[in-house]
Amino acid sequence: MTADKVTHNRATRMRLSGIEKLYRQSGLFGWQLRGRGRETLRPGLQDPWRGDAGTGADILAFRIDPAHDRETFAGFGWLRDLRAEGSIEARARVRDLISDWITGNQAWRLPDWRPDLMGQRLAILAMNYGWYGDSADESFQARLAHNVEMQIRCLAMDWRRMGSADGQIGALRGIALAEAALGSDAARIEALQDMLTGKLAGAIHPDGGHVSRMPDRHIALMRQLVEFRMATSLAGVDGAAVSDAITRMGGVARMWRHGDGRIAHFNGGGGISAEVAEETMLRAGVRGKAVQQAPYSGFLRLGSGRTVIIMDAGDPAPASPGANAGDGGNHGDVVRGFGTLGFEMSVGPTQLVVNSGQMMPDPTLRRVMCSTAAHSTLGLDNQNSSSPREDRYASIAGVEVGEAPGGILAIGSHDGFERSHGILHHRKLYLKTGGANLRGSDLLEYTGAPGEIPNLAIIRFHLHPKVTAASLANGSVLMKIRGSRTGWTFKADGAVTEIDNSVYFEDGVRQASQQIILKSVISDIRTTGAHEIRWAFSRSTE
């Protein structure tokens, strides 16, 4: 899965009455969409994103037919794949496919004219025109320009119908790129930029993090802003406002990156490859060190030597428009993750502790991937730290990160279990200078509030599939990393240590993995007042 893949969900569906749909399929609506008769696009844009040359070769050899699936065909992502193949034959095939799509879409219809697909399609058509269109015959150029103008007019009417700020921004970027390619004046692009920057306030926090707290959505939006900036450049418009947003988003994206280039798997991440992440950072022009704390987005980063710790230290994000009332919701709608105070850990190019990751199309699997148990954090009696069904949400407090004697210390607390059990969860992470030792403390504090009597505290540390864990006679755990001579040892106090199977998702692929589980009976906490579980990961060389 790439960052540019369009997901059909409640936020992208058209909200039209039956009468309006009939009107849009009429000749009168087609007349309304007629443009100013601009005869051709300009070739000044260059698509910054790579396609897949292998897929392009398969399309060229008719082993893959983009038109087989209407939504895939309408998104025009296949054009990038053919451009990556790069031959004269691929260019001709692109022109044929574009002509076929135009012929089949003389009148408005769904899903082809859905706003999210139009925004993506216009962007790809405009950014690749110099490759496939500039050398085409005049009849093709004129026919395409006429169709692009029709799409611009339709999208200008429909972009506000999108159910999310991300969708609206994606539509505006498509309009801007198409207008710039058609030679619109600077005033038109400036007006579009004003509309876009107004929407950005609802899409990203002041520190640059996406409001959903989902890394995959963050990267996808960054890419759309990079594209919009290209439109301002071609039109000679000052794009400082968009560039500032890209810079801020880039700082948070760098914060989420592990040593292998992967983006952390918080809140269902895992759909963005290291290559796409690197490509995005490069095209965005993001430089400098990763930030240590994103206070509005709620993430921390600790690093020493080759070891990196990325921690979720923020409140769960609110549900997006269209999300259902369940803990998980439907595909594409949920922006909640219940891994509060969870973390990931990598050593150089190797990830050690991870979150399960990857949002799934199936609502049940989606709920599982959002759950506390799918993250490397603490759960209580197999309950999530937040529960929309119970109107119970974790609230973060006391978050700090900074230098401590001999290392770096991060602390945070949340009250997600206070309403259900009268319990606060306090977590401390201490990374020793040099990165060879990570010590943690999970303290459960009884506040005196009513609720269920807590029974079992469970802390999970999901391990990357390349990590193999085995129990030792002294109760500790030995971890071996495939392809590395360095091993790690885990030990804990205040809980029983177990090893169990787990699952890890990346790029849509399910992989078997393991997890270390700490279990501690805390049914007497209302008498003792608190219970602490201490644990440590230590590096050892064979």
Side-chain angles (χ1 to χ4, degrees), residues 89-109:
E89 292 79 11
R91 184 182 293 127
R93 178 82 169 120
V94 163
R95 293 171 185 165
D96 289 343
L97 287 168
I98 292 173
S99 295
D100 290 346
W101 185 88
I102 293 175
T103 299
N105 285 273
Q106 294 297 305
W108 180 95
R109 66 173 184 172

Side-chain angles (χ1 to χ4, degrees), residues 23-296:
Y23 167 70
R24 283 176 173 244
Q25 292 166 351
S26 69
L28 184 61
F29 184 71
W31 174 84
Q32 185 180 349
L33 295 182
R34 290 179 185 173
R36 291 176 288 171
R38 290 175 282 189
E39 295 183 356
T40 186
L41 281 74
R42 293 191 293 172
L45 296 167
Q46 185 173 354
D47 196 332
W49 318 124
R50 293 187 297 266
D52 185 282
T55 302
D58 286 338
I59 294 172
L60 194 59
F62 294 91
R63 289 187 292 268
I64 295 177
D65 180 8
H68 180 71
D69 178 81
R70 280 183 60 188
E71 190 164 323
T72 298
F73 191 29
F76 275 43
W78 46 264
L79 195 158
R80 285 188 175 126
D81 298 328
L82 283 164
R83 186 199 69 197
E85 199 279 339
S87 65
I88 294 175
E89 292 79 11
R91 184 182 293 127
R93 178 82 169 120
V94 163
R95 293 171 185 165
D96 289 343
L97 287 168
I98 292 173
S99 295
D100 290 346
W101 185 88
I102 293 175
T103 299
N105 285 273
Q106 294 297 305
W108 180 95
R109 66 173 184 172
L110 292 176
D112 301 77
W113 291 71
R114 211 174 64 212
D116 59 315
L117 289 174
M118 271 195 290
Q120 176 175 309
R121 183 168 60 243
L122 287 173
I124 292 175
L125 283 170
M127 291 188 296
N128 291 278
Y129 184 78
W131 175 70
Y132 72 84
D134 193 39
S135 59
D137 60 64
E138 291 183 0
S139 62
F140 174 86
Q141 292 179 351
R143 189 180 189 217
L144 175 63
H146 172 71
N147 182 265
V148 165
E149 281 205 88
M150 290 182 64
Q151 293 186 62
I152 289 174
R153 285 176 173 261
C154 186
L155 192 52
M157 289 188 286
D158 287 346
W159 69 269
R160 291 180 179 85
R161 296 177 184 269
M162 300 290 287
S164 69
D166 289 33
Q168 293 176 352
I169 290 168
L172 287 170
R173 86 40 164 101
I175 296 173
L177 285 163
E179 289 280 13
L182 284 169
S184 292
D185 58 28
R188 174 60 174 154
I189 306 303
E190 286 175 348
L192 290 167
Q193 182 174 225
D194 289 342
M195 286 186 278
L196 179 135
T197 52
K199 293 299 177 181
L200 278 177
I204 62 174
H205 289 298
D207 57 22
H210 195 282
V211 294
S212 71
R213 309 185 71 243
M214 296 173 68
D216 288 12
R217 287 185 63 180
H218 182 102
I219 296 295
L221 182 58
M222 268 188 74
R223 291 167 74 90
Q224 292 179 349
L225 295 183
V226 168
E227 294 174 15
F228 192 100
R229 186 172 61 184
M230 293 169 56
T232 63
S233 178
L234 182 63
V237 171
D238 181 3
V242 176
S243 292
D244 175 67
I246 293 170
T247 299
R248 287 185 286 123
M249 294 189 78
V252 176
R254 285 182 65 89
M255 180 187 198
W256 280 329
R257 292 190 78 187
H258 287 289
D260 63 354
R262 285 278 182 180
I263 298 292
H265 282 44
F266 292 105
N267 304 324
I272 301 295
S273 69
E275 291 75 19
V276 167
E278 179 62 29
E279 179 185 59
T280 304
M281 304 296 279
L282 179 65
R283 302 304 183 199
V286 177
R287 297 178 178 85
K289 295 182 178 180
V291 297
Q292 191 174 56
Q293 182 175 11
Y296 295 94

Side-chain angles (χ1 to χ4, degrees), residues 9 11 163-164 212 217 317-324 330 332-336 366:
N9 54 55
S164 69
S212 71
R217 287 185 63 180
S320 64
N324 66 16
N330 286 346
D333 296 328
V334 174
V335 294
R336 290 185 175 123
R366 194 170 177 81

